[in-house]
Amino acid sequence: MKAYHLKFSQQLPISLAEAWDFFSSPMNLAKITPPEMAFEVTSGSQLREKMYPGMIITYKVSPLLGIKLNWMTEITQVKDQEYFIDEQRFGPYQFWHHQHHFRAIDGGVEMADILTYGMPMGILGQMANSLFVAAQLQQVFEFRKKKVIELFGDYSTTGT
């Protein structure tokens, strides 16, 4: 299996605590996902407000042609106000490991996402990744970057 790696980072003019409170709540993920993906958390009322190691989160998502897929991730590690890691247990990828890192900086917080994933179906999956999956993931994170600026402001305009 071929593994693909993506890294994204963003600075926001909010406190580390505020960033952690928002991003460690699974229910906020739908707020920063492109609407055309029809992302929906389906875990229901058993979902706690904040993440913890071992938490299972289920979703429905339509990444391609409006086809709804079920996706299940597990939060495997959490270090309060530093990082959390989610891993796919069932879903569209052969492998999905997503690290979310947070650190205080002067006048705000820096967030970094480190994503490692693999595609199913061998050479067909590799072709799909080259043709549209990698670009779609880039678009999702670009959307997320713009959306969190709308929600929290632009670090680059705060004069820090």
Side-chain angles (χ1 to χ4, degrees):
M1 174 192 71
K2 181 169 175 53
Y4 302 96
H5 306 279
L6 298 171
K7 185 173 181 180
F8 307 94
S9 65
Q10 182 172 10
Q11 298 173 332
L12 292 172
I14 59 175
S15 70
L16 177 60
E18 188 177 359
W20 183 262
D21 284 345
F22 182 83
F23 290 98
S24 67
S25 174
M27 300 310 289
N28 287 330
L29 190 53
K31 295 176 185 174
I32 58 172
T33 301
E36 61 271 15
M37 294 189 74
F39 185 88
E40 174 188 0
V41 177
T42 59
S43 297
S45 60
Q46 79 275 15
L47 190 63
R48 291 188 184 176
E49 191 170 313
K50 298 298 175 208
M51 294 180 178
Y52 59 88
M55 174 184 261
I56 298 291
I57 307 168
T58 57
Y59 321 90
K60 286 200 180 293
V61 63
S62 298
L64 184 63
L65 303 172
I67 300 167
K68 284 226 179 240
L69 299 175
N70 292 311
W71 195 353
M72 177 186 289
T73 60
E74 178 182 356
I75 304 301
T76 58
Q77 297 180 47
V78 177
K79 186 163 184 188
D80 190 50
Q81 295 192 22
E82 286 189 37
Y83 68 87
F84 63 89
I85 298 172
D86 65 269
E87 296 182 3
Q88 176 184 287
R89 293 297 175 244
F90 176 83
Y93 297 92
Q94 184 173 9
F95 176 81
W96 177 272
H97 183 269
H98 185 184
Q99 301 175 47
H100 309 254
H101 294 269
F102 303 83
R103 73 178 181 92
I105 58 173
D106 187 32
V109 65
E110 181 174 61
M111 305 179 312
D113 289 278
I114 302 168
L115 177 59
T116 304
Y117 67 99
M119 297 296 296
M121 300 187 304
I123 191 75
L124 293 176
Q126 290 177 27
M127 288 171 47
N129 188 69
S130 294
L131 291 172
F132 61 88
V133 173
Q136 184 180 41
L137 286 170
Q138 290 281 348
Q139 290 171 353
V140 167
F141 280 91
E142 269 305 308
F143 177 90
R144 184 170 294 176
K145 188 175 207 172
K146 291 175 185 170
K147 194 66 178 176
V148 297
I149 287 172
E150 285 178 24
L151 292 169
F152 301 111
D154 190 349
Y155 182 83
S156 66
T157 64
T158 60
T160 52

